[in-house]
Amino acid sequence: MERVNVVGAGLAGSEAAWTLARLGVPVRLYEMRPKRMTPAHATERFAEIVCSNSLGGEGMANAKGLLQAEMRAAGSLIMEAAARARVPAGGALAVDREEFSALITERLAAHPLVEVVREEVTAIPEGITVLATGPLTSEALAEALKGRFGDHFLAYYDAASPIVLYESIDLSKCFRAGRYGQEADYLNCPLTEEEYRRFHQALLEAQRHTPHDWENLAFFEACVPVEELARRGYQTLLFGPMKPVGLKDPRTGKEPFAVVQLRQEDKAGRMWSLVGFQTGLKWPEQKRLLQMIPGLENAEIVRYGVMHRNTYLNAPRLLRETLEFQEAEGLFAAGVLAGVEGYLESAATGFLAGLNAARRHLGLPPVAPPEASMLGGLVRFLATANPENFQPMNANWGLVPPVEGRMGKREKREAMYRRGLQAFQDWLASLKPPVPGAQVAVAP
């Protein structure tokens, strides 16, 4: 029987290969380490964790908690290994990274349907394939992707701005407008001269993230971090992302001294990003600075800004919500390459890509989880986000529809958790053929 190819044995590729094998589909799993190492990896093991050893916060009020529950329901290898290699971490799911990757490597290498090939893939393989090569995709394969889909579909540098929940913005302090009377597609947070002075000084004093050696890249002038712009001079931001030119505050009839603009990130308008505010600041500093901006004092950040080396696709232009390429039937992407951030999110998209690659192999159409589930919301974002300013995304409550009714924030999140997990379980139960090992009764 012809094998399905999985390229890359990180968390996404490992989960994809495991899902395929569980469905009885032979897999050829390519991993270039140890023949060719990356600047980030230290071993040849699968699913090696190179940064934080956390798979995110747990619990019904946590978006990652819902995604963890969905993955457990799906019979995830990553979640099984995480449970066995768990270490104390308060309210987060953290693992002993060596035990974690060793367990996953052992399970996959021993599976009779998984053939492991230790070599670099330099071209897109023929046949049904899952590409899960991560943020450090090799130059040769990146060139092959560019040749197939075009230069503008592949990014090499993740310069992302913070994204906040719309419901957490104080709209009484903002105004909708486009520059020079154009369509009012932006939310504008005006600052007085004194507010700008304090904000600029805080940027100068803020602690920056110290990047790994493999993330040290010269800044492209088009994506200079906001803290670097502040260091170039007091007025630099006023001629850059905070320029007020052409934006009249309808409450005063005048242009403010400075302005922070927010742009809609998803079709439903639940998430908005700060325009031009890509940053490498530490996360607590980002939160502190955002809360100095009028209208964002209580803003909930669903994705922090980042500045690091990353190879990812412009998913809205290329991928369907099934993670299959729009113009290449049988070719799937998963993990960071598909446009997600985080270990858990990578594993979850690996599950879906593996499931749909198996379905193609079996002559069945690809499927996507329901929108109320966290995985369903995530892959729908990848397929429908604004392609002009696409940024990789992690699990957050802005990805799923809100619940109706008057209740507190925690109650709402727990209701969204219960609804999402039930929808995901119902979807799993509806799949034919079923996914072996999937559970249908894991709700708390």
Side-chain angles (χ1 to χ4, degrees):
M1 187 183 292
E2 185 178 349
R3 292 183 181 270
V4 170
N5 305 299
V6 176
V7 185
L11 278 81
S14 294
E15 193 69 64
W18 182 251
T19 303
L20 281 153
R22 280 195 292 155
L23 286 162
V25 177
V27 185
R28 183 172 290 112
L29 177 59
Y30 289 94
E31 174 52 58
M32 67 181 184
R33 295 174 291 124
K35 287 189 177 179
R36 181 170 179 191
M37 299 297 288
T38 76
H41 292 87
T43 77
E44 62 184 57
R45 290 195 295 266
F46 302 158
E48 180 184 342
I49 292 179
V50 299
C51 297
S52 166
N53 67 331
S54 172
L55 273 68
E58 296 182 297
M60 294 175 64
N62 195 300
K64 285 183 184 284
L66 173 55
L67 189 55
Q68 290 167 9
E70 292 171 6
M71 289 294 283
R72 281 192 291 267
S76 162
L77 174 62
I78 297 301
M79 294 304 296
E80 178 190 336
R84 292 174 60 186
R86 182 171 189 147
V87 296
L93 175 58
V95 301
D96 178 312
R97 65 185 73 219
E98 292 189 5
E99 183 181 358
F100 175 77
S101 60
L103 286 166
I104 293 167
T105 305
E106 179 184 347
R107 293 294 295 278
L108 284 168
H111 200 291
L113 290 179
V114 178
E115 174 193 351
V116 177
V117 180
R118 295 279 188 173
E119 64 181 44
E120 180 184 358
V121 173
T122 59
I124 301 172
E126 296 292 327
I128 299 173
T129 297
V130 176
L131 298 176
T133 48
L136 299 176
T137 297
S138 71
E139 293 85 350
L141 184 56
E143 287 300 316
L145 285 166
K146 285 165 58 179
R148 179 79 174 269
F149 300 108
D151 287 5
H152 58 296
F153 287 143
L154 193 67
Y156 292 100
Y157 200 56
D158 194 354
S161 304
I163 297 175
V164 300
L165 271 183
Y166 178 79
E167 65 183 36
S168 68
I169 301 170
D170 185 348
L171 299 177
S172 69
K173 298 183 180 181
C174 309
F175 62 94
R176 280 184 178 268
R179 294 190 191 277
Y180 306 109
Q182 294 178 349
E183 290 188 29
D185 292 334
Y186 293 84
L187 276 176
N188 300 276
C189 302
L191 286 82
T192 64
E193 184 172 2
E194 176 58 23
E195 287 169 336
Y196 174 79
R197 185 194 63 77
R198 291 199 300 267
F199 183 76
H200 180 267
Q201 185 61 38
L203 266 176
L204 295 178
E205 296 170 354
Q207 287 186 303
R208 286 179 289 169
H209 166 67
T210 303
H212 296 281
D213 291 342
W214 54 274
E215 291 176 350
N216 279 326
L217 297 178
F219 297 128
F220 298 138
E221 202 57 33
C223 60
V224 176
V226 66
E227 60 271 19
E228 177 64 22
L229 290 175
R231 281 190 289 275
R232 293 183 179 182
Y234 180 74
Q235 291 189 312
T236 303
L237 290 169
L238 297 174
F239 290 91
M242 297 183 72
K243 66 181 178 183
V245 178
L247 289 169
K248 285 188 178 180
D249 188 334
R251 295 164 298 188
T252 65
K254 300 178 181 179
E255 292 179 354
F257 184 81
V259 69
V260 173
Q261 288 195 301
L262 290 93
R263 177 176 54 226
Q264 186 172 327
E265 281 293 315
D266 63 317
K267 280 189 174 181
R270 293 191 289 262
M271 293 180 285
W272 291 67
S273 64
L274 278 68
V275 178
F277 267 65
Q278 54 270 4
T279 177
L281 293 176
K282 292 184 175 181
W283 288 5
E285 295 287 62
Q286 291 187 41
K287 184 175 182 179
R288 180 175 67 87
L289 281 156
L290 256 68
Q291 292 179 343
M292 295 179 68
I293 299 169
L296 303 184
E297 293 91 346
N298 297 302
E300 182 174 345
I301 302 174
V302 296
R303 184 198 194 280
Y304 285 87
V306 293
M307 298 287 298
H308 59 66
R309 163 77 183 274
N310 199 354
T311 303
Y312 65 94
L313 299 164
N314 189 329
R317 293 204 189 278
L318 289 177
L319 301 180
R320 304 183 192 279
E321 60 190 31
T322 60
L323 299 177
E324 187 174 42
F325 280 76
Q326 298 170 14
E327 306 299 328
E329 184 177 299
L331 182 63
F332 299 85
V336 173
L337 185 67
V340 299
E341 283 274 356
Y343 297 132
L344 183 65
E345 292 83 347
S346 291
T349 54
F351 159 73
L352 185 60
L355 171 66
N356 282 328
R359 290 178 67 86
R360 280 292 186 202
H361 181 85
L362 298 170
L364 299 169
V367 293
E371 184 182 9
S373 69
M374 191 56 63
L375 179 54
L378 181 60
V379 295
R380 279 168 179 78
F381 174 84
L382 297 182
T384 64
N386 182 354
E388 300 301 325
N389 304 284
F390 177 68
Q391 300 175 7
M393 183 55 66
N394 52 265
N396 68 82
W397 289 118
L399 293 171
V400 297
V403 294
E404 302 299 326
R406 298 184 62 181
M407 58 186 82
K409 179 178 173 181
R410 186 178 184 85
E411 291 176 296
K412 282 187 176 181
R413 299 291 161 80
E414 291 180 350
M416 292 161 77
Y417 178 106
R418 286 190 290 268
R419 179 196 62 184
L421 182 54
Q422 186 63 59
F424 189 81
Q425 290 176 308
D426 291 344
W427 172 74
L428 281 174
S430 73
L431 294 177
K432 300 290 186 279
V435 179
Q439 307 167 30
V440 293
V442 295

